[in-house]
């Protein structure tokens, strides 16, 4: 759960390959139809809840590391795509990413989703896609070196 006094920042549904949801989606009924309408899903039933102290980029790096580890390596979109996503997310983490990097992340995601051989590679960027769609401003803040978690003010 969330420590007392902290705010919900986001939640991850259905395991690592599931979508990420945000506080404005909390009132969504827990039915397949309602969740699908919101871009969410039940998946494996797992639910991870994160508070305001978690940087989305840090979390996405951990998700990406899971997929790099789990990839069988047989298809290039998954094997190499996950590594490239990790490299670009690291640029965001370090405050050196550009708008072109954000566009490249979206292109890599589309390629991996459509060209990977199995569901692992096809779903590897689900969390990333949700975060870009709903919290693009956090990626932009990293481009400016303004994430309070990664670039704390002295």
């Amino acid at each position: 759960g969330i420590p007392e006094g902290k705010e919900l920042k986001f939640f991850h549904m259905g395991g690592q390959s599931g979508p990420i949801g945000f506080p404005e989606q909390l009132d969504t009924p827990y039915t397949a139809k309602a969740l699908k309408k919101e871009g969410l899903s039940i998946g494996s039933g797992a639910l991870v809840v994160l508070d305001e102290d978690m940087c989305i980029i840090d979390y996405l790096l951990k998700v990406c590391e899971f997929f790099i580890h789990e990839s069988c390596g047989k298809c290039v979109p998954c094997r190499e795509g996950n590594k490239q996503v990790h490299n670009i997310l690291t640029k965001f983490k370090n405050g050196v990413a550009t708008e072109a990097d954000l566009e490249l992340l979206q292109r890599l995601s589309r390629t991996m989703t459509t060209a990977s051989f199995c569901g692992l590679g096809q779903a590897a960027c689900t969390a990333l896609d949700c975060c870009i769609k709903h919290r693009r401003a956090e990626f932009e803040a990293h481009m400016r070196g303004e994430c309070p978690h990664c670039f704390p003010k002295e």
Side-chain angles (χ1 to χ4, degrees):
I2 297 176
E4 190 173 327
K6 298 289 182 181
E7 295 290 323
L8 170 70
K9 185 168 184 177
F10 60 96
F11 53 94
H12 199 169
M13 296 181 72
Q16 296 296 310
S17 61
I20 288 184
F22 299 93
E24 61 269 19
Q25 296 171 301
L26 279 177
D27 289 334
T28 304
Y30 197 72
T31 65
K33 186 177 181 181
L35 290 169
K36 184 175 182 175
K37 185 177 175 185
E38 284 293 319
L40 301 170
S41 66
I42 295 168
S44 66
L47 183 62
V48 177
V49 179
L50 298 118
D51 68 32
E52 62 196 73
D53 290 336
M54 176 55 70
C55 170
I56 282 180
I57 300 298
D58 283 340
Y59 187 77
L60 289 172
L61 279 164
K62 292 297 181 193
V63 170
C64 192
E65 288 165 10
F66 166 82
F67 283 103
I68 289 169
H69 180 265
E70 292 299 312
S71 175
C72 72
K74 290 183 181 177
C75 76
V76 173
C78 180
R79 182 185 67 235
E80 298 304 319
N82 279 307
K83 291 175 189 174
Q84 292 307 310
V85 168
H86 192 276
N87 290 340
I88 296 168
L89 287 172
T90 300
K91 288 177 73 174
F92 279 92
K93 170 76 177 164
N94 294 330
V96 296
T98 65
E99 185 67 34
D101 291 312
L102 188 54
E103 291 171 17
L104 181 56
L105 275 177
Q106 292 172 297
R107 283 199 328 265
L108 278 168
S109 174
R110 284 190 301 273
T111 300
M112 291 171 65
T113 301
T114 58
S116 292
F117 290 166
C118 77
L120 184 103
Q122 294 165 3
C125 291
T126 301
L128 172 66
D129 293 342
C130 291
C131 290
I132 292 172
K133 178 180 179 181
H134 293 281
R135 295 297 187 269
R136 184 182 184 99
E138 293 207 28
F139 289 83
E140 293 166 351
H142 277 82
M143 288 188 264
R144 296 186 306 270
E146 295 177 356
C147 173
H149 310 290
C150 299
F151 315 104
K153 303 263 189 226
E154 309 259 342

